[in-house]
Amino acid sequence: MINPLKSKPGRFIRVLSLSLILFSSLATAGDFEDALLTIQQEWAIAQYQTPEDEQTRAFEELADKTEAYVSNHPGRAEPLIWQGIVFSTWAGAKGGLGALGLVKDARASLEGALKIDPAALEGSAYTSLGSLYYQVPGWPLSFGDDEKAEDYLKKALVLNPDGIDPNYFFGDFLHEQGKSEQARQYLIHALEAAPRPGRELADAGRRREVQQVLNTF
């Protein structure tokens, strides 16, 4: 009986090498997704379960993790998106003039993500940039701009029309513009959004924020 491993050692080595490469690629993909979910879940804890006087420190620590995530996955938009989200919420927790540098860092990360893949995470870079532009002060303190905010938020809705985040932020933006009836439609649609696996805490927190805006009508 012929031993195929002895008769064709080169072929066996090539098959083994290809198998190892495939396994390595799958492992890398798994590590990438696991790290993303970990950051998302830790952000939700910092945002929705951490006392206000401890949030700044929590976001600072999470910023270190997102920096490592970006460094470990160059050329990917998702780490940059979450770096931008962490910077922006850290700025919100910190408040005051000291937060202005953080919102600029957030904008830089999100713009970097758009250059790589505007559709990553269903357009989350557009959503986060839009929220920044209507929430930060305008010139000369910062870069706030309602026209840019509306443009980014509308682009986010094109990519993710039923998502809880783009509908919440666009609804909140419209509410601040005094367009309550239009705002209500988007806010109610945000409450109707499908649950996101692994994002239960974030979904619950966002729904509370949506309801808080609706309660002001």
Side-chain angles (χ1 to χ4, degrees):
M1 182 175 180
I2 298 174
N3 187 330
L5 301 187
K6 289 184 178 180
S7 62
K8 296 184 178 180
R11 180 182 178 185
F12 171 71
I13 292 171
R14 287 195 298 272
V15 171
L16 178 60
S17 298
L18 288 172
S19 298
L20 290 173
I21 291 171
L22 178 59
F23 177 80
S24 177
S25 298
L26 291 173
T28 301
D31 291 344
F32 180 85
E33 296 297 334
D34 288 345
L36 174 61
L37 184 58
T38 296
I39 287 172
Q40 290 172 330
Q41 292 175 337
E42 290 189 13
W43 175 86
I45 292 171
Q47 179 74 351
Y48 296 118
Q49 290 190 332
T50 301
E52 288 187 12
D53 60 349
E54 298 176 16
Q55 280 187 322
T56 299
R57 180 59 181 168
F59 285 124
E60 183 178 5
E61 292 176 354
L62 189 53
D64 291 338
K65 294 181 181 180
T66 58
E67 182 177 1
Y69 190 38
V70 170
S71 298
N72 291 336
H73 300 282
R76 293 295 299 263
E78 297 90 338
L80 287 168
I81 290 171
W82 271 93
Q83 185 177 55
I85 291 171
V86 170
F87 279 148
S88 62
T89 45
W90 181 10
K94 188 173 185 178
L97 295 177
L100 296 179
L102 288 173
V103 295
K104 291 179 180 178
D105 289 340
R107 179 177 64 171
S109 295
L110 295 167
E111 288 177 342
L114 285 181
K115 291 178 181 178
I116 297 170
D117 183 5
L121 299 178
E122 298 183 293
S124 290
Y126 285 128
T127 303
S128 297
L129 272 172
S131 70
L132 274 180
Y133 270 101
Y134 82 83
Q135 294 186 76
V136 304
W139 188 88
L141 288 178
S142 193
F143 55 83
D145 186 316
D146 287 344
E147 289 186 8
K148 287 186 177 180
E150 184 171 4
D151 179 58
Y152 282 127
L153 291 171
K154 284 182 175 179
K155 287 178 178 177
L157 283 165
V158 169
L159 290 168
N160 189 14
D162 299 319
I164 189 170
D165 288 338
N167 278 284
Y168 162 68
F169 282 113
F170 194 52
D172 187 51
F173 168 75
L174 290 172
H175 182 49
E176 289 201 0
Q177 298 293 306
K179 301 176 181 179
S180 297
E181 288 308 311
Q182 294 179 50
R184 188 189 303 274
Q185 296 174 26
Y186 287 97
L187 293 169
I188 290 175
H189 197 43
L191 292 177
E192 298 169 343
R196 295 174 292 184
R199 306 289 311 282
E200 292 80 9
L201 178 56
D203 284 348
R206 188 67 81 203
R207 289 177 192 280
R208 288 195 299 270
E209 291 173 334
V210 173
Q211 193 61 58
Q212 287 170 2
V213 179
L214 285 170
N215 291 343
T216 66
F217 284 22

